[in-house]
Amino acid sequence: TSMGVTSAFIAVKNSASAEESAMREARTLTLEASALLKSRIAANLATLESVATALGATHDGGQALTREQVGALVRATLVGSEDFIGSSAAYEPDALDGRDAEFAGQAPLYDATGRYMPYWSRTPDGKVNVEPIVFTTTPGGNDWYDVPKASGRSHFTEPYLYPIAGKDVLIASLAAPIRVNGQFKGAVTGDFQLTKLGAMLAEMKIMEQGTLALVSNRGLYASNKDHARNGKKADDLPAEALA
């Protein structure tokens, strides 16, 4: 009986030790993946902030870029990033050159107001499409613009639906404010499709049979191996995980 109890105790102790070791490895790998993802997102944000700074500085110096030049710069930002599905430089009404009325209704770059806010996006066949940006009625759908305008700081949005080339797509946006003389004039954006965030996570090393998920500040899945859960509450996670 004594030998049996001892053997059981050793087995339980070894099992607990193995579990503790596995959890340590899981935490280490997760921290490494987190650092890699943070670095990749930060690199994209740095690009957007550089574009926003350049647009603000040239305007402030009396040498504001033309609409064509701004468009070429933003389009190049999209093409130069393998992570973005879309990019824009959206200005306040008449804030770029005071000529919005001259461009009113000139599709595909402008809407009926002529306000400067063309949106460049990737098409499934790898080409670049352009259309006027859309301000949605979905709660939080305009945080890419409203938050930098209110705070004066860059922002990474919650997941939200946005129409790209006529199709609703789940995205999360990085946005950097354009400032002239300290005043908000617009925002430069870069959009991640949530499935792209998932592909980025899939490239990272994890434990065998493990998975990685990205959860937003408000507890929504920004990436889940089950794409149907993207953009939805991470209510399958324990409270400790969300805390």
Side-chain angles (χ1 to χ4, degrees):
T1 302
S2 175
M3 287 178 64
V5 170
T6 302
S7 296
F9 174 77
I10 291 174
V12 170
K13 185 175 181 181
N14 287 342
S15 176
S17 177
E19 182 177 347
E20 183 180 344
S21 176
M23 287 303 297
R24 280 199 302 269
E25 183 181 1
R27 291 190 184 97
T28 298
L29 291 174
T30 302
L31 287 172
E32 290 175 357
S34 177
L36 286 170
L37 183 64
K38 181 178 180 180
S39 175
R40 190 158 170 178
I41 291 174
N44 282 294
L45 178 59
T47 298
L48 297 178
E49 289 178 334
S50 294
V51 173
T53 298
L55 294 177
T58 53
H59 197 291
D60 192 20
Q63 296 180 329
L65 302 183
T66 66
R67 293 182 176 226
E68 291 77 12
Q69 289 170 328
V70 174
L73 180 58
V74 177
R75 187 183 186 282
T77 300
L78 170 64
V79 173
S81 171
E82 62 177 297
D83 296 334
F84 291 151
I85 189 175
S87 186
S88 73
Y91 278 81
E92 291 276 85
D94 268 332
L96 177 57
D97 52 17
R99 300 170 56 200
D100 286 1
E102 296 179 33
F103 297 90
Q106 294 187 27
L109 291 170
Y110 306 104
D111 63 7
T113 69
R115 178 179 174 184
Y116 191 87
M117 49 184 188
Y119 179 73
W120 279 264
S121 61
R122 297 182 194 275
T123 61
D125 59 1
K127 297 180 181 179
V128 176
N129 181 60
V130 64
E131 58 192 332
I133 210 162
V134 176
F135 282 86
T136 71
T137 57
T138 305
N142 302 318
D143 281 357
W144 59 270
Y145 193 85
D146 294 341
V147 173
K149 181 177 181 178
S151 68
R153 300 174 61 185
S154 297
H155 181 63
F156 194 15
T157 73
E158 296 288 310
Y160 66 101
L161 277 173
Y162 182 80
I164 298 178
K167 181 181 179 181
D168 284 344
V169 180
L170 273 168
I171 62 174
S173 300
L174 284 174
I178 303 169
R179 291 186 292 267
V180 178
N181 292 323
Q183 294 188 339
F184 178 84
K185 294 297 182 180
V188 176
T189 68
D191 300 329
F192 295 96
Q193 190 171 1
L194 297 197
T195 52
K196 176 61 180 179
L197 289 172
M200 290 161 61
L201 289 177
E203 297 172 2
M204 298 175 183
K205 180 182 178 182
I206 53 175
M207 291 186 66
E208 186 177 354
Q209 298 182 336
T211 61
L212 290 173
L214 182 63
V215 182
S216 75
N217 288 334
R218 295 179 187 170
L220 303 180
Y221 274 120
S223 174
N224 189 287
K225 67 173 183 177
D226 178 4
H227 292 173
R229 294 199 63 87
N230 284 345
K232 297 180 180 177
K233 279 284 186 182
D235 51 14
D236 57 330
L237 296 178
E240 294 83 359
L242 295 177

